Structure formats: C-alpha cells, structure tokens
Amino acid sequence: MYDIIVVGGGPAGLTAAIYGLRNGKSVFVIEKSVFGGQIVNSPKVENIPGFDSISGDEFGDKLLEQAMGQGAEITMENVIGVEKTGEGFAVKTEEGTSYEGKTVILATGTTHRVLGLPGEEELIGNGISFCAVCDGDFYRDKTVVMIGGGNSAFVESSLLVDIVDKLIILQDMPFFTADQKLQDQVLSGGKAETHVGTKILAYETENGQITGVRYEEAGEEKIASCDGVFLAVGLVPENDAFKNLADLDERGYFIPQNICNTKTPGIFVAGDCNQKTLRQVATACSDGAYAAIAACDYIKNK
C-alpha cells in the first residue's frame, strides 16, 4: 500500500513525486511511454526557470533522477482504470497488474491530435510524424509539410528547416499563432513556404507512401508535393478511463476543484490533463506540487 500513486511521469507527475517524498510519503510513479512527458521532444527549451537553455530530454532526465534519488519507485505500464477500495484505491494496468494506494494523483498529460483523414492511422510512423528530433533526419535534403502554425509547429519547424531542402507550412487559421521569435527563426532562411487559411483535404499516396497533401486555399484546391508530413495541430487528453472519479469538460480535460481536487476524495489531478489556460512546464510543476501537498494533507487528516 503506497501513500501516493502518481499516474504519469511528466513534469507534473515527477514534481508531485518529489514533493510527496520530501513529506515522508511512499510514492509510486506509473508511466506508459516516456518519463519527462511531451517536453522531451523539444530540442531546446528556454523558458524553464533556472535554465537559460536546456533540451527537453535532459530536463526530463533530471526530473526523473531527482525523484528516484529521493526514493520514488517507478514502472512503465499503461493505466486503464482506478477503483475505490476499502482502504484507498486500486490502480489497474493494461499489463494485468493492480497497485494499491491511499491516494492517487492523475497527471496523465496529453497526446498528439490528428486530423482524422482517411488512411491517416496507417501512415503514422510511415510518412506522418510528430517529432522532428526523432524523425527529422529521415527527410534530410527532402521536402516536408508541417501542418500547424502554433508554437509547437514552429519549434519542430526550427529543427526541420536546417535539415530539409524545403519546408511547407500549412495553417488552418488566417495567421500564425507562434511567438514572433520562433517565426523569425524559421522563416528568415528562405527555405520555408507558408500558407494560411487552409483546409487539409487528404493525404496523397503512391504505393503506400506519402507523395503530398491536398488542401484548399482561398477556395482553390491545391497539392503540396512532399516526402513526409509532420503534424502539430494540438494535443488531446486521455482521461476517459477516469471519468467516474473526476469531472471532465467537453474536450475531455479534468475540471479541477481548488486547483487539484476532484469529486472523489483522495483523487487529485495535475498538469496538462487539466482544464487550464496555460500549459507550460512551469505550470505543470506547480500543479504537481499542489497535488502532492493536497494528497499529504488528505492522508494526515484521514
């Protein structure tokens, strides 16, 4: 029986673990894919307090090392549900394991949004990518399409533009929403072609390989010929498995009460999986700290 089980090993979850451990509680962290969360895909991060510049991967490693150094136990499994028991909660995983905890902090983060176009699922990992750090070198000296116009799209594009021969950026809104500094970094070299106010219609393929993106711009249908596509069209939470314990909004994000509480005493939420206006590493860490202290108070008062 752990004092705190944390579901999710991103900045919110690992910060929660650190704060719980420093309050003398036993903490178990369950992560389904990669410790550090979405930030590990960012090659250069300049807005984390205390670091002028650090790679997301290095920052994630530092968080994990700190949590484990203070005594956190960890595992890589996929949590599929949490059930209330007489003494606390049973956290069930896809692998068939059940872990017992007095409290649970859900720091489940988000996953990449897709367009839902025909054939898209089959093309993910085979022409469609999300991570320039991971897959950018496959397209060295080739042409790629970036779909999206926010900070995430331009962070990925800032790496791609140094690798590819040509970068075509397609944005559905009438303007880019990325920070101007990011836009300047990508667009100043002359290798990026931009189109705003577009509607993506289909992926063009030949023999199972992407050859282009068909889109509509100003009422005209066009094709952007390319060797690969990177998607940066937002993130979605994966909270349905916990909707019996915590309220969700219309987009599936947790609706926290008093920052981190839920309708179920002993269940707390933290990080990007929450309904909030700013999703950044700094706010995720803040959420994790709040959730851990709330869990410690719950244990003490109970």
Side-chain angles (χ1 to χ4, degrees):
M1 172 68 76
Y2 294 95
D3 292 321
I4 302 171
I5 293 180
V6 180
V7 181
L14 291 174
T15 301
I18 291 165
Y19 271 72
L21 290 160
R22 288 182 62 83
N23 276 271
K25 301 297 184 285
S26 59
V27 179
F28 188 58
V29 184
I30 308 173
E31 166 59 43
K32 71 175 182 179
S33 56
V34 57
F35 284 95
Q38 296 285 350
I39 195 66
V40 302
N41 295 321
S42 297
K44 186 178 182 181
V45 187
E46 299 177 318
N47 61 358
I48 298 176
F51 300 95
D52 287 336
S53 177
I54 188 172
S55 74
D57 190 50
E58 183 183 358
F59 181 71
D61 285 346
K62 286 181 178 292
L63 277 177
L64 181 59
E65 289 170 7
Q66 186 177 5
M68 293 181 66
Q70 296 197 28
E73 295 183 43
I74 66 169
T75 188
M76 294 196 74
E77 297 183 51
N78 183 29
V79 174
I80 57 174
V82 177
E83 297 177 2
K84 192 163 178 52
T85 64
E87 297 183 357
F89 302 93
V91 179
K92 311 282 187 177
T93 72
E94 192 174 51
E95 291 75 10
T97 316
S98 179
Y99 299 100
E100 302 291 320
K102 297 177 183 177
T103 63
V104 176
I105 296 174
L106 300 173
T108 51
T110 56
T111 190
H112 293 285
R113 186 185 299 277
V114 296
L115 299 177
L117 296 174
E120 186 172 52
E121 186 175 344
E122 292 78 13
L123 289 168
I124 291 174
N126 187 32
I128 294 178
S129 303
F130 302 98
C131 174
V133 175
C134 313
D135 301 331
D137 205 53
F138 294 128
Y139 301 100
R140 184 171 294 277
D141 301 324
K142 296 182 179 181
T143 298
V144 299
V145 167
M146 170 62 70
I147 300 177
N151 279 346
S152 295
F154 273 83
V155 166
E156 299 297 314
S157 295
S158 67
L159 180 63
L160 289 171
V161 79
D162 292 331
I163 297 172
V164 302
D165 179 60
K166 183 179 182 180
L167 175 66
I168 303 170
I169 305 176
L170 304 178
Q171 160 76 312
D172 60 347
M173 297 179 67
F175 51 86
F176 294 124
T177 58
D179 294 343
Q180 191 60 50
K181 183 179 178 180
L182 284 173
Q183 293 188 45
D184 293 341
Q185 288 175 357
V186 173
L187 304 180
S188 61
K191 291 172 68 175
E193 174 186 318
T194 63
H195 300 267
V196 297
T198 65
K199 179 181 179 182
I200 309 302
L201 302 175
Y203 299 110
E204 297 290 313
T205 61
E206 185 175 319
N207 298 322
Q209 301 296 313
I210 282 184
T211 59
V213 175
R214 184 152 46 92
Y215 66 99
E216 184 179 292
E217 182 180 17
E220 182 182 353
E221 196 168 302
K222 302 178 181 180
I223 293 179
S225 297
C226 66
D227 301 290
V229 175
F230 284 79
L231 286 178
V233 292
L235 301 167
V236 292
E238 294 181 305
N239 295 332
D240 279 354
F242 314 107
K243 61 185 178 183
N244 60 316
L245 302 167
D247 292 327
L248 307 181
D249 68 11
E250 66 279 0
R251 295 187 298 160
Y253 289 97
F254 291 127
I255 304 174
Q257 304 168 9
N258 192 26
I259 302 176
C260 62
N261 290 31
T262 69
K263 66 181 180 182
T264 306
I267 298 287
F268 306 92
V269 291
D272 285 3
C273 56
N274 281 354
Q275 182 188 69
K276 56 197 301 188
T277 56
L278 184 63
R279 292 184 172 85
Q280 295 286 307
V281 170
T283 62
C285 293
S286 172
D287 289 348
Y290 271 108
I293 297 303
C296 293
D297 288 345
Y298 173 83
I299 294 170
K300 178 182 177 180
N301 293 331
K302 189 177 180 182

